[in-house]
Amino acid sequence: MLLENLENNAILIVPNSIKEKILLEINNSSKLINVKFMSLDELKKKYYFDYTTESIFFIMKKYNYNYDFACNIIDDLYYVELTDYENDKLNLLVKIKNDLIANNLLIFDDIFKFNIKNKAIYVYGYDYINKFEQKLLKNVGAKIIQAKTNNYTHDIYKFETITEEIEFLANKICEYLLNGTAIKNLKIIKPSSEYLPIINRTFKMFNIPINITNDYLFSLKISQDFLNMLDSNINTTLENLKNTIDQNDELALIEYNQIVKICNKYNWCNNFKDIKDLLIAELKMTKIEIPKLNNSIELVELENNYFNDDDIVFLIGFNQANYPKFYKDDDFISDKLKKILGIDSTTEKNEASYKTLIKNIQNIKNLYISYKLQSPFNTYYKSPIIDDLNLKIIKYEPREVHYSILNDKLKLAKELDNYLKYGEKSNDLGVLLNTYKIIDYKTYDNQYSKINEDIFRKYLNNKLSLSYSSINNFYRCGFRYYVENILKLQISNNEFNLFIGNLFHYILAMMYNANFDFEKCFEEYCQNNYKVTTSKEKFFINKLKKELIFIIDVIKEQDKYTTFDNYLFEEVVKIDLSKDNYDITFKGIIDKVMYKKDNETLISIIDYKTGNPDLNLNNIIYGLDMQLCIYAYLSSKMKKFANPKLVGIYLQKILNGNFNIEKNKEYLDIRKESLKLQGYSTNDEKILKQFDTTYMDSKLIKSLKIGNNGFYAYSKIFDQAMLNSLLKIVDNNINQARDKILNREFFINPKKIGIKNLVGCENCKYRELCFMMEENIINLKEYKKLEFLKDDAYELN
């Protein structure tokens, strides 16, 4: 019918969902015909205007809109003329449209309008054409070819659960395939997202091939690496990103190329850091491309589509929330304004949605429609169309023929659970028990199974980066390290908190510059590194700004008590630990190094900390809480100094709101006290007094005092022998962690020190993954006074 009406060299306006079908019909036809395909959306952009990502960015930046709202606004521009309206919203749209035109950010194609004047234009395959589209088609002189309509009736299958619905679907497909139906004729109407993981899981158990892409690029590690590496120069970023992936990994290359495609859309941008929000939005809405199976079940659209009589079509999830599609009057252009502009109102769209759905259902000859009453998280109602059309409902009954042994065994386990726990006995239970005499019921092994060495090496691309935090994770629990540091399934950090931490570190490093201007430095960093989006964030930035001024004043006062007058900030120390053809680096960043060069080089290490970190060194024998000792270890490896002598290792607790309110002490004094250095100092008074001139009753270091009998008992001090022993332990722990990681020893083994302190699970975000059991816990002896240093030999766990 379509080919009979087409002229040669015509333009055919069709939905993208049926373009391939029409091309196939043309190729199989005896009629020689040349047509140009377009969609209605493409015609709209050619006839009126098109836009680019730069247009969206312009609106976001000038009007302070987020990405989604900016996209909606630019789509609404098609409906307004460049005139004055008696409405502020419409005039705002006109203003935005004029702004885009003035900045050459709308693309007009006058040549297209000229070329189509003498062209025959046909429209086919659209279920509904709205008022705006009708006006457009009238302007170009298009002729609408009506598709054939049918009046088929169908029964509706009712299921108690979503799992039963998908099992029925899988069994029915197997039945058709075994009876000789070609897999290309089996179609599933694209369901809501809650169905996709269940379909994927169930179809694997039935060995039914299907192409489902349910994940988005943003969820992948490569996307997070890309955002972390993002540089103003995108070529540098992409080159660095490419170096992190295995060039033989086909999927990784596909993912990389998808990111390149996204970046190519922004070739107008000079500084890609400025458009990070847009890139994040693109990654979140771009589905991962996976190599498609040739012979597989196809997920297809119901709207703007047609089906042959030999097609078997499954429409699942026919529930109230999904069918028919329901629109609300919550667009930027309200129904009242839509009437002014002559475009479809919400009521008209809902009426069209209802009628179109009925027409589409009646047009398909072989159609299975089903709905469910519940899923693990929700309850559902049937679509109102079922009652409106008086369709017959068939309640699902368990089948006698099953096509998946694995699925049956899983179902048997569930039925046994219901029977043993609640006394519920289904019709399937007896049949399944007689069929499958032995299943691994009530057996579960939560322990990690070792990864294949070649797969692990390929995954890491022969590279491994270690740090204090990653090694601390490993010694807490091998599986915790595996999830967070190998699989990188970290729960996203609060971006605002991360920004505040970086801001404080930056300002505290810059404060020693001769031309330091706090206000300028603070404002420039904020403008270049974070976009404030809420009044709450603005409030905290202003509050923390005052706190930072106070911290700087206190540090400057503290500097009066030391003779150390040289500083290094954000000092990166890298240690090569390469082994077994792995490129391995241990990396640490020291916030602040204070040093003095006299007859020898004296250094003190200071690390800025928020919160209230533990200064206890008793757990370092187990590879835990080694942070202070790690800094001492890093200082011994610094190439800038030859044989430096360590005076002290300290934490300075900035942004610590936990003050111990002491009687007869002013609040300001308490705050100053909280900013004292906390950590360990040398017992060599000769060099200690050069770092802290008040060391006998220190105004610089917390809990440091000397009496008639020497250092007070609460003073944290070390001698050279103790320091050497601690550094030896740290070195052994780092190397042992490296070796065990290379050996893939990621077992569930949380450490418990003493009676109560289960450090392995403390603040762990991954408890729902490991199903930790009592026998997994490694019990360790608790040390309180570094007793392990008295032994020449010690064993690391």
Side-chain angles (χ1 to χ4, degrees):
M1 178 178 177
L2 172 63
L3 298 183
E4 294 171 3
N5 291 279
L6 285 185
E7 295 180 20
N8 205 26
N9 295 318
I11 295 175
L12 182 57
I13 311 296
V14 296
N16 290 325
S17 53
I18 64 172
K19 188 184 295 184
E20 287 188 16
K21 293 180 182 180
I22 295 172
L23 279 170
L24 190 62
E25 285 184 27
I26 291 174
N27 291 336
N28 293 335
S29 138
S30 58
K31 183 178 179 180
L32 293 175
I33 190 166
N34 179 33
V35 294
K36 177 179 175 61
F37 286 91
M38 294 182 74
S39 67
L40 263 175
D41 189 58
E42 289 169 329
L43 177 64
K44 178 181 75 173
K45 290 177 178 178
K46 283 282 189 182
Y47 188 80
Y48 292 111
F49 64 81
D50 201 355
Y51 57 91
T52 68
T53 53
E54 188 176 6
S55 315
I56 300 170
F57 179 66
F58 176 85
I59 294 175
M60 290 174 65
K61 193 169 183 180
K62 179 164 184 178
Y63 294 93
N64 199 27
Y65 295 153
N66 64 32
Y67 179 85
D68 291 333
F69 191 71
C71 290
N72 290 334
I73 286 292
I74 207 167
D75 282 334
D76 286 342
L77 299 184
Y78 287 101
Y79 307 128
V80 294
E81 304 288 342
L82 297 179
T83 185
D84 287 331
Y85 292 94
E86 294 180 0
N87 180 272
D88 290 341
K89 276 190 175 181
L90 297 183
N91 285 329
L92 174 60
L93 291 175
V94 173
K95 181 180 183 305
I96 294 172
K97 193 170 185 178
N98 277 321
D99 280 346
L100 291 170
I101 292 171
N103 287 278
N104 295 317
L105 292 174
L106 293 184
I107 304 167
F108 297 96
D109 193 344
D110 294 329
I111 295 176
F112 173 77
K113 287 184 179 180
F114 177 80
N115 287 339
I116 64 171
K117 281 184 178 179
N118 298 317
K119 287 270 189 182
I121 301 175
Y122 299 94
V123 183
Y124 179 77
Y126 284 94
D127 295 329
Y128 174 69
I129 299 175
N130 62 41
K131 291 178 183 176
F132 178 79
E133 292 165 343
Q134 289 175 19
K135 180 181 176 182
L136 168 61
L137 295 176
K138 184 178 179 181
N139 288 342
V140 299
K143 179 182 179 182
I144 298 174
I145 301 174
Q146 299 294 338
K148 187 177 98 173
T149 58
N150 297 301
N151 194 25
Y152 295 115
T153 58
H154 307 285
D155 296 331
I156 309 290
Y157 288 86
K158 170 185 173 183
F159 297 90
E160 287 296 322
T161 67
I162 190 172
T163 303
E164 287 182 352
E165 187 179 14
I166 300 307
E167 284 179 358
F168 170 82
L169 170 67
N171 277 302
K172 205 70 183 172
I173 286 173
C174 288
E175 183 181 304
Y176 272 106
L177 290 173
L178 289 172
N179 288 332
T181 302
I183 197 168
K184 66 176 183 174
N185 294 122
L186 296 168
K187 320 281 185 184
I188 300 174
I189 303 299
K190 287 181 181 176
S192 56
S193 59
E194 64 181 332
Y195 276 92
L196 300 181
I198 304 174
I199 291 175
N200 239 334
R201 182 176 67 246
T202 305
F203 278 35
K204 283 179 182 176
M205 291 190 286
F206 280 79
N207 288 320
I208 300 173
I210 187 167
N211 288 309
I212 291 183
T213 303
N214 191 37
D215 294 320
Y216 294 85
L217 269 181
F218 186 75
S219 66
L220 297 177
K221 174 184 176 295
I222 191 173
S223 293
Q224 302 310 310
D225 290 343
F226 167 69
L227 293 172
N228 290 333
M229 294 177 183
L230 190 62
D231 186 79
S232 56
N233 186 325
I234 194 60
N235 293 322
T236 301
T237 303
L238 293 174
E239 187 63 32
N240 291 337
L241 183 65
K242 191 173 184 179
N243 291 335
T244 66
I245 63 175
D246 183 354
Q247 300 303 303
N248 296 316
D249 188 336
E250 183 182 351
L251 283 176
L253 290 174
I254 290 174
E255 293 159 3
Y256 172 79
N257 288 331
Q258 278 190 272
I259 291 175
V260 173
K261 285 180 186 176
I262 289 174
C263 294
N264 284 338
K265 293 163 66 175
Y266 296 88
N267 57 9
W268 49 267
C269 183
N270 294 322
N271 187 343
F272 269 68
K273 281 188 174 182
D274 292 341
I275 59 165
K276 187 174 182 179
D277 288 347
L278 279 81
L279 295 171
I280 290 172
E282 292 269 10
L283 292 168
K284 285 182 175 179
M285 66 184 185
T286 305
K287 285 195 172 183
I288 301 167
E289 291 179 0
I290 56 173
K292 288 193 174 181
L293 302 169
N294 292 326
N295 293 313
S296 62
I297 303 296
E298 191 178 0
L299 293 181
V300 297
E301 301 287 351
L302 178 63
E303 295 181 354
N304 300 326
N305 205 348
Y306 67 85
F307 300 91
N308 300 321
D309 286 349
D310 53 355
D311 286 335
I312 311 297
V313 184
F314 296 90
L315 174 53
I316 60 178
F318 200 68
N319 292 94
Q320 181 176 296
N322 301 324
Y323 297 98
K325 187 174 181 179
F326 182 75
Y327 299 90
K328 295 180 181 179
D329 184 15
D330 55 7
D331 295 336
F332 182 78
I333 300 179
S334 65
D335 278 351
K336 184 178 179 181
L337 298 179
K338 287 174 183 174
K339 187 175 181 180
I340 295 173
L341 297 175
I343 58 180
D344 289 27
S345 67
T346 302
T347 301
E348 290 170 317
K349 288 199 289 187
N350 285 330
E351 288 176 356
S353 175
Y354 184 88
K355 292 176 182 178
T356 297
L357 178 59
I358 293 175
K359 184 180 75 172
N360 287 334
I361 289 172
Q362 293 176 337
N363 261 351
I364 304 172
K365 182 177 181 180
N366 304 304
L367 177 64
Y368 288 87
I369 308 176
S370 63
Y371 69 94
K372 79 283 184 188
L373 297 179
Q374 59 183 339
S375 71
F377 305 105
N378 290 299
T379 56
Y380 300 85
Y381 300 96
K382 63 185 177 183
S383 167
I385 286 182
I386 295 174
D387 289 335
D388 291 350
L389 296 182
N390 198 26
L391 300 175
K392 180 182 176 182
I393 296 176
I394 300 174
K395 190 175 185 307
Y396 168 73
E397 296 295 336
R399 300 170 51 85
E400 293 183 3
V401 179
H402 299 258
Y403 295 100
S404 170
I405 293 174
L406 181 59
N407 188 68
D408 280 353
K409 288 183 175 181
L410 182 62
K411 190 171 184 180
L412 174 56
K414 291 178 181 178
E415 297 292 349
L416 286 170
D417 280 345
N418 289 334
Y419 178 68
L420 295 174
K421 291 180 180 179
Y422 311 111
E424 297 177 1
K425 187 176 180 180
S426 72
N427 295 332
D428 279 346
L429 182 57
V431 175
L432 290 170
L433 272 174
N434 288 328
T435 306
Y436 306 104
K437 304 293 184 184
I438 301 175
I439 64 169
D440 295 327
Y441 182 65
K442 296 190 81 171
T443 62
Y444 175 70
D445 181 9
N446 72 319
Q447 194 53 273
Y448 149 87
S449 297
K450 236 183 184 185
I451 307 167
N452 176 276
E453 183 178 0
D454 292 335
I455 293 174
F456 184 66
R457 184 181 288 274
K458 184 177 180 182
Y459 177 79
L460 291 182
N461 196 23
N462 285 11
K463 295 177 182 178
L464 180 64
S465 180
L466 298 174
S467 64
Y468 158 71
S469 59
S470 66
I471 286 180
N472 195 52
N473 258 351
F474 180 78
Y475 282 114
R476 280 184 177 218
C477 173
F479 190 72
R480 180 173 180 164
Y481 170 85
Y482 173 62
V483 173
E484 182 161 319
N485 300 96
I486 298 297
L487 298 181
K488 300 190 184 300
L489 299 181
Q490 300 105 317
I491 296 170
S492 297
N493 291 321
N494 185 305
E495 191 175 350
F496 179 71
N497 290 343
L498 185 62
F499 159 71
I500 292 298
N502 291 337
L503 169 64
F504 271 56
H505 278 74
Y506 174 75
I507 299 294
L508 292 176
M510 296 295 290
M511 64 175 279
Y512 288 96
N513 289 353
N515 57 348
F516 174 66
D517 182 330
F518 175 82
E519 289 292 339
K520 182 180 179 182
C521 205
F522 189 95
E523 294 304 322
E524 284 183 354
Y525 188 88
C526 290
Q527 289 176 9
N528 295 333
N529 292 277
Y530 192 78
K531 182 179 180 182
V532 177
T533 56
T534 66
S535 56
K536 181 180 178 182
E537 289 178 349
K538 186 175 182 180
F539 168 80
F540 276 113
I541 286 177
N542 290 331
K543 185 176 178 64
L544 292 170
K545 182 178 181 181
K546 296 175 184 177
E547 181 67 20
L548 187 50
I549 292 171
F550 175 78
I551 292 169
I552 291 172
D553 289 340
V554 172
I555 291 176
K556 286 181 177 179
E557 185 179 332
Q558 290 174 344
D559 287 343
K560 296 175 183 177
Y561 309 131
T562 181
T563 65
F564 283 32
D565 52 2
N566 294 295
Y567 303 91
L568 295 173
F569 298 99
E570 302 291 321
E571 186 68 13
V572 178
V573 182
K574 294 182 179 180
I575 302 168
D576 184 14
L577 299 176
S578 298
K579 184 179 180 181
D580 298 338
N581 293 323
Y582 276 94
D583 180 9
I584 305 172
T585 303
F586 181 86
K587 176 182 173 182
I589 301 176
I590 304 174
D591 290 340
K592 182 177 179 181
V593 181
M594 298 178 67
Y595 66 98
K596 180 179 182 179
K597 288 188 176 182
D598 201 350
N599 296 327
E600 56 188 345
T601 302
L602 306 178
I603 67 172
S604 284
I605 305 296
I606 299 170
D607 188 65
Y608 300 124
K609 286 295 174 189
T610 58
N612 196 32
D614 194 358
L615 298 171
N616 180 18
L617 299 184
N618 284 290
N619 296 333
I620 75 160
I621 188 66
Y622 303 123
L624 298 166
D625 303 329
M626 296 195 298
Q627 187 162 26
L628 279 174
C629 294
I630 287 282
Y631 288 122
Y633 177 74
L634 292 172
S635 71
S636 69
K637 304 289 185 179
M638 292 174 68
K639 296 178 180 178
K640 291 188 177 181
F641 306 118
N643 300 316
K645 196 153 191 176
L646 185 67
V647 178
I649 42 176
Y650 308 102
L651 302 180
Q652 189 160 33
K653 299 179 181 180
I654 59 175
L655 289 181
N656 179 12
N658 299 320
F659 304 130
N660 293 319
I661 306 299
E662 299 177 36
K663 193 174 181 180
N664 300 324
K665 273 202 173 184
E666 295 292 334
Y667 177 69
L668 193 62
D669 292 333
I670 295 172
R671 289 179 68 194
K672 288 182 177 180
E673 182 75 17
S674 73
L675 285 167
K676 279 186 174 183
L677 304 182
Q678 301 181 45
Y680 286 79
S681 308
T682 179
N683 68 343
D684 186 341
E685 295 183 49
K686 182 180 176 182
I687 62 174
L688 178 58
K689 70 179 179 182
Q690 295 188 61
F691 176 63
D692 181 3
T693 57
T694 66
Y695 77 100
M696 297 191 73
D697 189 3
S698 183
K699 296 179 181 179
L700 176 60
I701 303 167
K702 190 172 183 179
S703 303
L704 181 63
K705 190 172 182 179
I706 293 181
N708 294 330
N709 298 318
F711 287 97
Y712 274 42
Y714 54 72
S715 297
K716 292 181 172 61
I717 58 172
F718 62 82
D719 57 26
Q720 194 59 44
M722 173 184 170
L723 179 62
N724 292 339
S725 294
L726 292 174
L727 293 180
K728 180 182 177 184
I729 293 172
V730 169
D731 187 66
N732 284 346
N733 284 340
I734 292 173
N735 284 286
Q736 188 179 74
R738 173 202 61 190
D739 295 344
K740 289 188 174 186
I741 290 168
L742 294 185
N743 199 35
R744 295 99 56 220
E745 297 180 26
F746 307 130
F747 303 107
I748 299 170
N749 54 6
K751 310 306 186 299
K752 183 178 183 181
I753 299 176
I755 299 174
K756 296 181 179 178
N757 195 9
L758 186 58
V759 295
C761 298
E762 193 176 50
N763 300 320
C764 183
K765 304 182 285 270
Y766 313 107
R767 294 186 182 190
E768 295 180 1
L769 298 179
C770 73
F771 298 94
M772 187 270 291
M773 296 183 285
E774 190 69 27
E775 53 265 35
N776 299 138
I777 297 173
I778 306 296
N779 292 292
L780 302 173
K781 176 182 176 181
E782 182 177 13
Y783 291 102
K784 294 185 178 180
K785 296 182 180 180
L786 305 180
E787 300 96 322
F788 54 83
L789 291 178
K790 297 175 183 177
D791 301 326
D792 291 332
Y794 47 82
E795 183 179 350
L796 301 178
N797 292 278

